[in-house]
Amino acid sequence: MSHICRSFPHFGQLGKEKFHKSQHFGYSNDVSMLLGEDKPGIGGELLPGQKIKSKFSVFPRGVGSDAPSWVAFDKQVLSFEAYFEEEVHQRREEVYRIRHCKIYFYLEDDTIQVVEPEIKNSGIPQGTIIRRHRIPLPPPNDDQFYTVDHFNINKDIVFYSRIFKIVNCDEFTRNFLRKLGVRINPPGSIPSDPYSTTRKQIEDNMKPLRPYERMDTLKQFLDHDRHVLRFYCLWDDTISPFGDSRELILHYFLADDTVEIIEVIPPNSGRDSVPVFLHRGKLPKQIPTRMYNPGEITSRTVLNVFGPMGHGGRYILDNLKTGSVHQEFYKDSDLTIGAAISVWGRNMILYDCDEFTKNHYRTKYGIEDFTPVQYKTPQMLKIEKKIPPYNGFGSEEDSLCSCLGLLPKPPQRDFKKFMEKDRNGLDSNVLRFVAKLITENPIDKERTFIISYFLSDDTIAVFEPLQRNSGIIGGKFLERCRVKKPGQELFKTEMSEYFKAKDLFVGARVNFNGHKFVLIDADEYVFRYMEKNAYEFPMADIASIMSKLRNIVESSPREIKQHFVANDPRNSNEMTYEAFRNVMVEICDRKLTEHEIMTVGRHYSAQEKLEVDLGLLTAVAQEHLKKKPFENFSKLYDAFVYNDRERKGLLPLQETRTICKAFKIPLPDDLLNLILEKHKESDDQINYVKLVSGLNWRENPNPAWQTTPIKFDADWSGQMTSSAVKTVNYLLLLKDLFGVQE
């Protein structure tokens, strides 16, 4: 039949192209039912009597934002004031009740919420009357929901058979409805509730004509809780036997106007340390003349109007407070610096306060003068103890200790310095210099001395090495002791000055007990120690030396560069230390000491790259693998063979490193990289056979190499050490002085 209909259509369907049918039936909760009541007929045409809801609002398309409603109207709510009448049955006092409520319309999803404000002692469950959701219209339109078009002022609206009367709205709601083109009705009024009016009249009649005296201390507590004024006070008790002046601290609590006093007990005063001098409480200005009975001091007084005493009597509040006990207590207005207060018969003077107290009085009372009261007598000038001059017996420290007490004690050594600077392993903490005598005697000019400075106790020892065929017997020249600086008076009260470590450096001229020396060299430990502790030795501080050198050479940079180039015939940017030293002496014109020149030469020295021996690296690696321990060499070799497809015994460097990392070989990264570099052959290929064989400490043990750092040589006699500077890269020096220039 469908083919016949499509072949011979009705004359009214001429030109029609759509003949599809809408689906009207479906399943809801596994129940077949009619679902498509709003769907059109064949070809999208409306059925007889059918009306399709508009998909758009009253505004035409293109007006307003294209954002969805839950974005455009997010957090926008219309608020209406309303009321409804509730019938009350089986009560004589009331027939109906007027209940106020708020209606909230959420624009984002057209949901509605009704809330009733809570009223004290109403006896009715109040709060949210209707939770937030979309509310359907009353029948017969219960298939539709309320929208913003249904709301206006002075309009009845039905929610679930309950009639709400809208009487007013807020300003935002009023403006929003006006923008929608809604004509706002004039606001209405909420009728009075008869029962609430009756209750209010009863409550008003219960209030007395004369109000009760209100004593509200809660506000003061909330405003000033934890706010405490602190005053420093003095109690002069010298008039009593064995009395003296006592210092106290007064705490005034603003929360309840109470006072607490704490005594400041100085050390070695002989008094018992009590926690509190006066417990916290209100402090009366006058001492009570008698002890009051319990209940006699009250904040209110009452009068017995008639009836017996106790139960059954009638009382009223006494405004005149007849027979009440009047007491005056100290307030914050009574406490000022310089004021005298009576603390239960003890007169105390407030002489100072803290910063919080000053801010309180400055803010509340406008007081600006907080000058403390001077209550202590000025201390007498302390007579300086005069120490008699040194008499020549014993050391100066020993003679000084005999003047400091009746029982002389030996002078104490600086034990902390001794523990820090005493010899510790290979660290000798001894500075040794090579020295020559300053003399005109040709025989003494050739003599060489070793000056040793011991950092642990600032003592100095001088030793003369034995020289063959010199005619002078070498040996100990000066016993280890502290050496005084020359030019000091022998018998004096002040302590003498002794030579310190910073006074000794290469090029220094010293006078040891009349023998004048010039220091011409030092061992490697001296230079390294001074450079490590440059803050103690300015002669080894490269930063201060470079600053001094810039001030010297800033006037003639071109001549200085030409002077360095002229002494470099090979044009290698390097020169020997002797040539560098001679150039620096000519440039600086003796403004730099010999030690400072040596510090610059050491800083810019051209260090030779030391070739690391593979045997040493293998020995160190085997020591690491023994301590962990690591013995998985067979599987490591199998992994190398498996990745070697060509079976040449070679693998790329990166792949070899990856396999070593995968096996978690316990070697530091720098040591592993050096070992791989040593086993590199051609094209970054690693010979893994030799690598595994060298690391295998089980089958191929390598004896440990004994390496020793620079050590203290007791027989050193001034010879040049192996770490001495041979060549200096003067180009780096010129770059640091003048910058990068041609």
Side-chain angles (χ1 to χ4, degrees):
M1 291 296 294
S2 61
H3 292 285
I4 296 174
C5 291
R6 291 185 181 179
S7 301
F8 303 98
H10 192 270
F11 290 104
Q13 297 180 353
L14 292 176
K16 187 173 181 179
E17 297 179 354
K18 296 182 179 179
F19 298 94
H20 66 274
K21 296 181 180 180
S22 302
Q23 181 70 23
H24 291 266
F25 296 92
Y27 289 90
S28 177
N29 296 329
D30 297 332
V31 178
S32 60
M33 58 179 61
L34 180 63
L35 298 177
E37 295 180 354
D38 296 335
K39 293 186 178 181
I42 298 175
E45 295 183 356
L46 297 179
L47 298 175
Q50 186 180 23
K51 295 182 180 179
I52 299 297
K53 297 180 181 178
S54 177
K55 296 182 180 179
F56 306 102
S57 62
V58 296
F59 296 99
R61 179 180 294 187
V63 177
S65 175
D66 292 334
S69 61
W70 52 272
V71 175
F73 301 111
D74 184 30
K75 297 181 181 180
Q76 296 187 13
V77 184
L78 304 183
S79 176
F80 299 93
E81 295 181 10
Y83 71 92
F84 65 93
E85 289 186 8
E86 183 183 32
E87 293 184 359
V88 180
H89 304 284
Q90 299 178 356
R91 282 187 65 89
R92 184 180 60 183
E93 293 84 358
E94 54 180 343
V95 179
Y96 65 92
R97 185 175 297 158
I98 303 297
R99 298 179 64 175
H100 303 189
C101 60
K102 285 270 191 180
I103 300 176
Y104 297 106
F105 183 87
Y106 295 86
L107 296 171
E108 54 181 319
D109 53 1
D110 292 348
T111 55
I112 300 173
Q113 181 184 15
V114 181
V115 179
E116 181 182 8
E118 295 184 1
I119 301 176
K120 185 178 180 182
N121 298 327
S122 65
I124 304 173
Q126 295 174 322
T128 301
I129 299 177
I130 301 176
R131 63 177 178 82
R132 178 181 173 182
H133 67 289
R134 296 184 68 188
I135 300 178
L137 295 173
N141 300 321
D142 52 353
D143 59 335
Q144 303 177 19
F145 297 93
Y146 279 101
T147 61
V148 69
D149 301 327
H150 296 91
F151 289 87
N152 202 341
I153 299 176
N154 268 339
K155 182 178 180 181
D156 293 340
I157 193 166
V158 181
F159 294 155
Y160 299 113
S161 302
R162 179 171 286 178
I163 302 174
F164 291 84
K165 179 72 172 181
I166 300 177
V167 296
N168 206 347
C169 64
D170 60 0
E171 193 64 28
F172 171 77
T173 305
R174 194 183 304 273
N175 295 335
F176 188 83
L177 294 177
R178 284 176 180 171
K179 291 180 180 179
L180 292 180
V182 178
R183 179 172 295 179
I184 307 297
N185 299 329
S189 60
I190 301 177
S192 59
D193 183 23
Y195 182 69
S196 299
T197 305
T198 305
R199 284 288 303 271
K200 188 174 185 304
Q201 291 176 358
I202 295 174
E203 290 179 359
D204 293 341
N205 293 333
M206 292 177 62
K207 293 182 180 179
L209 298 178
R210 176 183 54 77
Y212 287 101
E213 181 182 2
R214 182 175 179 83
M215 300 180 63
D216 184 15
T217 58
L218 179 61
K219 184 178 185 304
Q220 180 182 358
F221 173 79
L222 296 177
D223 292 343
H224 300 290
D225 185 28
R226 299 178 183 271
H227 293 176
V228 182
L229 306 182
R230 176 184 294 178
F231 289 92
Y232 302 97
C233 49
L234 176 70
W235 173 33
D236 190 3
D237 192 31
T238 55
I239 58 176
S240 61
F242 310 106
D244 55 355
S245 298
R246 299 192 182 186
E247 296 182 4
L248 305 102
I249 297 177
L250 183 144
H251 292 156
Y252 184 89
F253 297 86
L254 294 172
D256 53 0
D257 299 327
T258 54
V259 174
E260 177 190 54
I261 299 178
I262 300 175
E263 183 178 3
V264 180
I265 300 178
N268 301 325
S269 63
R271 303 196 193 104
D272 293 334
S273 178
V274 293
V276 179
F277 184 83
L278 177 66
H279 285 281
R280 180 176 175 179
K282 290 194 173 184
L283 181 62
K285 292 184 178 180
Q286 301 295 333
I287 303 177
T289 56
R290 63 183 180 86
M291 294 296 294
Y292 296 103
N293 296 324
E296 190 172 356
I297 300 177
T298 59
S299 57
R300 293 184 176 94
T301 58
V302 295
L303 297 177
N304 186 3
V305 181
F306 61 88
M309 295 292 294
H311 182 69
R314 298 293 185 267
Y315 304 93
I316 63 173
L317 188 66
D318 182 15
N319 258 354
L320 300 177
K321 296 183 179 181
T322 306
S324 64
V325 178
H326 295 280
Q327 283 185 310
E328 291 187 11
F329 299 97
Y330 280 103
K331 302 289 184 181
D332 57 343
S333 58
D334 302 320
L335 305 179
T336 56
I337 296 179
I341 62 174
S342 176
V343 181
W344 299 100
R346 297 168 178 82
N347 293 326
M348 297 184 182
I349 299 176
L350 309 180
Y351 65 85
D352 201 359
C353 61
D354 62 355
E355 193 63 30
F356 174 79
T357 306
K358 294 177 182 178
N359 293 334
H360 173 77
Y361 281 93
R362 189 181 293 112
T363 304
K364 185 174 181 180
Y365 298 105
I367 299 176
E368 296 292 341
D369 186 14
F370 298 100
T371 305
V373 178
Q374 299 295 334
Y375 66 94
K376 293 183 179 179
T377 57
Q379 295 182 355
M380 299 179 62
L381 295 177
K382 188 176 181 180
I383 301 176
E384 184 179 359
K385 183 186 293 186
K386 293 185 178 181
I387 299 175
Y390 174 59
N391 54 11
F393 294 94
S395 63
E396 294 183 358
E397 293 81 2
D398 192 15
S399 299
L400 179 62
C401 291
S402 64
C403 301
L404 298 178
L406 295 177
L407 298 177
K409 297 181 180 179
Q412 299 293 328
R413 296 177 60 183
D414 191 348
F415 185 74
K416 181 180 179 181
K417 182 178 181 180
F418 174 78
M419 294 300 296
E420 292 178 353
K421 301 297 184 180
D422 192 24
R423 180 171 182 174
N424 183 14
L426 298 175
D427 196 4
S428 64
N429 285 313
V430 179
L431 307 182
R432 295 183 299 175
F433 300 87
V434 182
K436 292 281 189 179
L437 279 173
I438 302 177
T439 179
E440 298 297 333
N441 190 346
I443 298 177
D444 292 339
K445 283 185 177 182
E446 301 298 328
R447 299 173 65 181
T448 304
F449 299 89
I450 304 299
I451 298 178
S452 300
Y453 185 90
F454 298 85
L455 296 170
S456 60
D457 55 359
D458 299 330
T459 55
I460 296 175
V462 181
F463 178 82
E464 183 177 6
L466 180 63
Q467 297 182 11
R468 289 188 176 185
N469 301 324
S470 63
I472 299 175
I473 301 176
K476 188 182 297 183
F477 186 83
L478 176 64
E479 184 72 30
R480 177 178 174 179
C481 63
R482 292 200 300 168
V483 180
K484 296 181 181 180
K485 291 184 178 180
Q488 300 183 75
E489 186 180 353
L490 179 62
F491 304 105
K492 61 183 183 301
T493 57
E494 297 82 9
M495 297 294 295
S496 299
E497 294 185 11
Y498 295 87
F499 279 100
K500 299 293 183 181
K502 62 181 181 180
D503 299 324
L504 304 180
F505 52 87
V506 178
R509 295 172 178 265
V510 294
N511 187 341
F512 295 162
N513 301 331
H515 298 275
K516 298 180 180 180
F517 296 92
V518 56
L519 308 184
I520 60 175
D521 199 0
D523 64 354
E524 183 66 20
Y525 178 81
V526 174
F527 292 108
R528 293 194 178 185
Y529 181 85
M530 289 186 173
E531 292 169 0
K532 183 179 179 181
N533 303 276
Y535 59 92
E536 298 180 10
F537 303 95
M539 297 298 173
D541 189 0
I542 187 63
S544 62
I545 297 174
M546 292 299 295
S547 177
K548 186 191 299 185
L549 189 58
R550 289 189 186 95
N551 296 332
I552 297 174
V553 303
E554 62 182 357
S555 59
S556 54
R558 182 177 296 275
E559 292 78 0
I560 293 172
K561 294 177 184 179
Q562 293 176 355
H563 204 64
F564 274 105
V565 173
N567 287 270
D568 182 17
R570 295 182 299 174
N571 198 18
S572 61
N573 298 330
E574 295 179 0
M575 61 175 60
T576 61
Y577 176 75
E578 290 76 11
F580 175 79
R581 184 256 178 196
N582 296 332
V583 173
M584 292 293 292
V585 170
E586 296 177 4
I587 292 174
C588 301
D589 193 19
R590 304 287 181 178
K591 293 181 181 179
L592 292 182
T593 63
E594 197 70 32
H595 198 116
E596 291 175 328
I597 297 176
M598 296 178 73
T599 301
V600 176
R602 289 173 58 85
H603 185 73
Y604 295 99
S605 62
Q607 300 291 340
E608 297 180 358
K609 294 184 179 180
L610 300 177
E611 187 70 21
V612 182
D613 186 72
L614 179 59
L616 175 61
L617 293 177
T618 305
V620 174
Q622 288 189 2
E623 287 295 324
H624 279 276
L625 298 178
K626 283 181 184 179
K627 292 178 181 178
K628 290 305 174 181
F630 180 84
E631 300 183 3
N632 201 5
F633 298 105
S634 59
K635 292 186 178 180
L636 177 63
Y637 181 77
D638 294 341
F640 283 130
V641 173
Y642 177 78
N643 288 274
D644 185 11
R645 306 299 182 186
E646 300 178 358
R647 297 296 187 270
K648 293 183 178 180
L650 301 175
L651 281 178
L653 174 62
Q654 186 61 34
E655 189 173 355
T656 307
R657 185 184 291 108
T658 303
I659 295 175
C660 294
K661 290 294 183 181
F663 276 81
K664 297 182 179 180
I665 298 179
L667 292 178
D669 292 340
D670 52 354
L671 179 59
L672 180 61
N673 294 334
L674 284 175
I675 294 176
L676 294 179
E677 288 290 336
K678 288 296 181 179
H679 289 86
K680 186 188 299 184
E681 293 190 357
S682 59
D683 299 332
D684 286 344
Q685 298 290 321
I686 304 298
N687 190 333
Y688 60 84
V689 179
K690 294 182 180 179
L691 175 64
V692 177
S693 176
L695 295 178
N696 194 342
W697 56 273
R698 279 290 187 189
E699 299 179 359
N700 305 311
N702 198 342
W705 288 48
Q706 300 295 333
T707 58
T708 305
I710 296 176
K711 62 181 181 179
F712 176 75
D713 186 8
D715 298 330
W716 181 72
S717 57
Q719 299 89 352
M720 181 179 295
T721 59
S722 59
S723 300
V725 179
K726 296 181 177 59
T727 58
V728 179
N729 190 332
Y730 66 88
L731 182 61
L732 298 178
L733 173 62
L734 295 178
K735 287 182 179 180
D736 290 346
L737 287 176
F738 309 111
V740 181
Q741 297 178 4
E742 293 295 334

